[in-house]
Amino acid sequence: MEKPADQSLASYLASLAAPTPAPGGGSAAAVATGMAAALVEMVAGLSLSKQPDGGDAALQQGARDRAAAARMTLLQYADDDAAAYSGFIEALRLPKNTNEEREARTVAISAAAVRAAEVPLQTLQVATAIANDAAALTDRSLASAASDLEVARRFARAAGRSAAENVEANLPYIEESETRAQLAQRTIAALADLDRAAPPSA
């Protein structure tokens, strides 16, 4: 499958719509978070172009730089998520006719589930960072772009919570209880941070 970074929007959406397991919700969450990052980058850039030496220029510059980096990272996460889920599906399809095969299959499924949980957790963490920057820029950036900033916060919240769904969906398949607990705890912590940056009412 062609990487999201190399696809047109129409091509990516066609891949998402295709009757195949991947790309799926985790990849879509990464792309949606990328849109939130792009909007933060745009608002910060517009604000800097209007007042390059303004009192909030350093804040805007930092937000713009972080959003630009996140935008590219999230396209990679979209691809990583599709690959991770494909790996999980492959593990599920392993033979299970003997005890040895069943044991090997269980190990493979658990390892694939860890990877399939780690990628959307990374997306959630980036979504939280983007929401924080969007919140920090509120009332400290170009007033005419305030609605774009609000859209960024809403996208980051929805995409982050969607990514969390994909983490949680993989946890039951992870055999190691400590790994499972750590991933769950990190997800809960990131969601709490996301809710502070982009409250449910936002």
Side-chain angles (χ1 to χ4, degrees):
M1 185 188 74
E2 192 177 7
K3 292 184 177 182
D6 299 327
Q7 291 180 279
S8 67
L9 178 59
S11 177
Y12 175 75
L13 291 178
S15 297
L16 197 61
T20 55
S27 178
V31 170
T33 307
M35 291 182 178
L39 285 168
V40 168
E41 185 181 352
M42 179 192 77
V43 173
L46 283 171
S47 302
L48 284 166
S49 68
K50 290 291 184 182
Q51 289 187 305
D53 299 315
D56 292 314
L59 172 70
Q60 294 156 359
Q61 183 68 59
R64 186 178 69 175
D65 292 347
R66 287 188 294 274
R71 178 164 52 85
M72 301 310 298
T73 297
L74 287 156
L75 286 175
Q76 183 60 53
Y77 287 171
D79 185 55
D80 291 347
D81 187 271
Y85 189 64
S86 293
F88 179 74
I89 294 298
E90 289 175 10
L92 288 176
R93 291 171 177 166
L94 289 173
K96 49 182 177 179
N97 300 311
T98 66
N99 287 337
E100 290 77 9
E101 286 179 344
R102 284 190 289 273
E103 185 174 330
R105 179 177 178 272
T106 297
V107 170
I109 289 172
S110 180
V114 169
R115 181 58 180 159
E118 286 174 339
V119 179
L121 176 55
Q122 291 171 326
T123 296
L124 167 58
Q125 291 168 334
V126 176
T128 299
I130 292 300
N132 274 313
D133 273 333
L137 287 174
T138 300
D139 299 325
R140 299 181 69 181
S141 55
L142 194 65
S144 61
S147 62
D148 298 298
L149 205 55
E150 184 59 26
V151 170
R153 290 180 69 201
R154 290 174 184 264
F155 268 43
R157 176 178 172 76
R161 297 200 72 85
S162 297
E165 290 286 342
N166 283 270
V167 178
E168 292 162 2
N170 285 287
L171 295 182
Y173 297 95
I174 298 173
E175 289 292 303
E176 302 84 0
S177 59
E178 184 176 348
T179 300
R180 188 169 60 245
Q182 287 177 349
L183 286 166
Q185 289 165 3
R186 289 165 62 195
T187 301
I188 291 169
L191 281 172
D193 289 343
L194 180 63
D195 282 345
R196 282 189 288 272
S201 57

